[in-house]
Amino acid sequence: MASQEEKHPQPFVDIFNEDEAEKSFLLSKPACFIILGKPGSGKKTLARKLAQIWKCIFIEALEVIKMNIQEETEHGLKCQELLFKGQSISEELVTEMILKKIESPEVAHYGYILCGFPSLSEEYMTVSQQIEKIKNLKLKPDILINIKCTDYDLCQRISGQRQHPNSGQVYQRNQWDPNIIEKHKKEKDQHEEDEEEEEQEEEEIAEDPLKMPNFLHQLVQRPEDVLENAEERIGMYKDIMLHPLEDLMAEHDSQYLIELDGNQQPEDLFVARNKVCLASNQNYTCCYCCFNKQDELFRVLSSCELIAHRYRWRRSRWGQACPVALKEGDIVMGNPELAVSFLGKMYVLSSPEALKTFMLNPRPYLLPPMPLPPCKVLVFGPPFSGKTTICNLIAQKYKGKV
């Protein structure tokens, strides 16, 4: 008995090391998705919803162009100049912006959801070359989601789309066609058992601007939504892109290949995808977000929502020192109004620029070599006593600066 007690003096000690777990997370690769499917199958709608729930960066041609123009980047200024001249933005410029976004610091932390790439246009690169680019990405896609839909159903859906010219919002046929709206309303009324719920639905329908005649007359059909054009685009997809994408999906791990029925409503499609993805993607953890926290909240957070008594909301090991400044070798006290929480610890940033940099990707400022507070040494003495020699030796020994 004595020998057994010596081998296991503390049988209930927690074997999990919190620092090692945090380091493992910081070194882990963020989850990356690619949404595939025929034109008009709902890739962009699904990608937006996924980006919201997974806190990933949504990457799509139009979204990237808008972002570059708003931030007035070099590519954004080129796009703005071309648009002012009435010219279209080249495929080469769009591809460069997409690839640069994938290599950005925020994507390295949060991951991405790529939609619309590879594209049908082969003006700059062929479909095979675009797929090769995807295979050679530093952050390769972990999960492929393929939305499947028959050609007939897809063409009918696309040809039934209408756009509001002012807002740019696109509506499906069941949202603007009075006959279909009335039919759905009657079906709902037949299955309603509670009169109060029925009255609430009638009020919502009356207030919905889509049911108003003035609004319906404003909707227009885009040229690409005409049935003949939709059939042509789908035929081009099957001729140019289908076989290379099938090869890509065949090479991918089947455990992380998800195929969805494109005939479902976007909400149902998202719920089905989320269940399947969570079931097949248990090894991936959604990145924690940084949340702004005022200094007064530190005391509140330190005593609520505890996982266990050992794991508390608390300050980081650097206290009020700014981690971004520490990475550069400077000790700068942070501003409590610029505090954030990450992985259960509080970090206080010194400036809005440091806060923005840390929020985009905190990993470089937390990974080894850890940004430990630098030690500052003052050497003084009478003239010619060897101060310079000692300073140089100390700096060489501890990799400091004189």
Side-chain angles (χ1 to χ4, degrees):
M1 289 292 291
S3 62
Q4 290 182 358
E5 289 178 357
E6 290 177 0
K7 291 182 180 179
H8 304 285
Q10 296 178 340
F12 299 108
V13 171
D14 187 358
I15 62 172
F16 297 102
N17 187 300
E18 186 180 2
D19 292 335
E20 290 296 325
E22 181 177 325
K23 180 181 176 181
S24 176
F25 171 78
L26 293 172
L27 291 172
S28 65
K29 176 181 178 294
C32 302
F33 301 78
I34 287 189
I35 313 294
L36 306 172
K38 298 175 183 176
S41 58
K43 300 187 294 295
K44 190 182 297 186
T45 303
L46 177 61
R48 287 184 185 277
K49 289 181 177 291
L50 283 177
Q52 291 175 358
I53 194 67
W54 277 83
K55 308 299 181 186
C56 292
I57 306 299
F58 173 52
I59 301 179
E60 186 264 340
L62 185 59
E63 196 77 16
V64 171
I65 292 172
K66 288 181 179 179
M67 183 270 295
N68 277 272
I69 292 177
Q70 290 174 355
E71 296 182 358
E72 296 184 350
T73 63
E74 182 181 352
H75 292 309
L77 295 176
K78 289 182 181 178
C79 293
Q80 204 167 16
E81 183 180 354
L82 291 171
L83 293 174
F84 284 154
K85 293 179 179 179
Q87 301 176 3
S88 60
I89 301 173
S90 66
E91 194 70 24
E92 179 180 1
L93 186 56
V94 174
T95 304
E96 288 179 1
M97 288 188 289
I98 289 176
L99 295 177
K100 186 175 181 180
K101 184 65 177 177
I102 294 176
E103 297 172 356
S104 62
E106 60 268 29
V107 169
H109 176 55
Y110 293 101
Y112 63 81
I113 295 181
L114 182 60
C115 173
F117 189 84
S119 66
L120 280 174
S121 174
E122 295 187 315
E123 174 188 338
Y124 174 54
M125 287 192 298
T126 64
V127 172
S128 300
Q129 290 173 335
Q130 295 178 60
I131 292 177
E132 199 62 31
K133 279 282 186 184
I134 293 174
K135 292 180 180 179
N136 295 328
L137 288 174
K138 184 178 179 181
L139 289 176
K140 294 181 174 58
D142 302 301
I143 299 175
L144 303 184
I145 301 176
N146 184 30
I147 303 177
K148 304 180 71 174
C149 189
T150 62
D151 294 351
Y152 176 78
D153 293 336
L154 191 56
C155 288
Q156 292 300 313
R157 183 201 303 174
I158 295 174
S159 61
Q161 292 181 155
R162 297 293 185 271
Q163 186 180 41
H164 190 264
N166 294 333
S167 65
Q169 181 67 34
V170 178
Y171 300 97
Q172 302 295 329
R173 185 183 295 276
N174 59 356
Q175 295 177 297
W176 62 265
D177 192 330
N179 297 327
I180 298 179
I181 294 173
E182 186 66 25
K183 181 181 178 181
H184 289 332
K185 180 178 178 297
K186 290 181 180 179
E187 291 177 354
K188 287 183 179 180
D189 291 342
Q190 291 176 358
H191 294 87
E192 284 295 338
E193 296 179 358
D194 192 348
E195 294 182 357
E196 294 181 358
E197 292 181 0
E198 184 176 349
E199 290 176 359
Q200 290 177 0
E201 287 187 2
E202 289 176 355
E203 290 176 2
E204 290 176 0
I205 292 174
E207 294 175 358
D208 193 339
L210 283 176
K211 316 306 184 292
M212 299 170 61
N214 295 336
F215 187 87
L216 296 178
H217 289 303
Q218 294 178 7
L219 299 180
V220 296
Q221 187 177 32
R222 298 176 299 180
E224 60 266 30
D225 293 338
V226 177
L227 182 59
E228 293 77 11
N229 295 336
E231 291 175 344
E232 182 180 352
R233 282 166 51 202
I234 293 174
M236 187 184 302
Y237 173 89
K238 295 170 70 174
D239 294 338
I240 297 176
M241 189 176 291
L242 184 58
H243 293 299
L245 287 183
E246 286 178 342
D247 294 338
L248 175 65
M249 289 186 284
E251 296 173 4
H252 199 74
D253 187 350
S254 59
Q255 184 180 1
Y256 303 116
L257 173 62
I258 302 172
E259 293 189 335
L260 300 176
D261 181 8
N263 286 322
Q264 297 181 7
Q265 292 296 324
E267 292 76 12
D268 299 333
L269 191 67
F270 172 69
V271 172
R273 187 231 60 84
N274 203 29
K275 290 180 180 178
V276 175
C277 184
L278 290 176
S280 63
N281 192 33
Q282 295 176 354
N283 294 331
Y284 293 99
T285 305
C286 181
C287 292
Y288 288 84
C289 300
C290 296
F291 297 98
N292 284 327
K293 300 293 181 183
Q294 297 295 333
D295 192 46
E296 301 87 275
L297 295 181
F298 288 167
R299 293 185 296 274
V300 179
L301 290 173
S302 64
S303 60
C304 71
E305 299 295 338
L306 296 181
I307 299 173
H309 290 292
R310 177 178 172 182
Y311 301 100
R312 288 178 166 272
W313 290 87
R314 59 193 184 281
R315 292 189 185 275
S316 67
R317 66 185 65 185
W318 305 293
Q320 290 191 354
C322 175
V324 176
L326 287 176
K327 194 72 174 180
E328 299 173 355
D330 298 325
I331 298 179
V332 181
M333 292 297 106
N335 184 351
E337 295 183 357
L338 302 176
V340 297
S341 65
F342 181 67
L343 296 179
K345 297 177 183 176
M346 302 297 173
Y347 299 92
V348 189
L349 286 308
S350 58
S351 65
E353 293 76 17
L355 175 65
K356 181 179 179 181
T357 304
F358 190 81
M359 292 277 284
L360 287 178
N361 187 0
R363 301 186 188 213
Y365 306 101
L366 305 178
L367 281 169
M370 303 299 286
L372 297 175
C375 178
K376 296 187 177 181
V377 180
L378 172 63
V379 179
F380 60 95
F384 306 105
S385 61
K387 298 188 296 295
T388 304
T389 304
I390 293 177
C391 286
N392 291 331
L393 290 174
I394 294 175
Q396 184 179 0
K397 174 68 176 179
Y398 296 102
K399 298 180 181 179
K401 295 180 180 180
V402 178

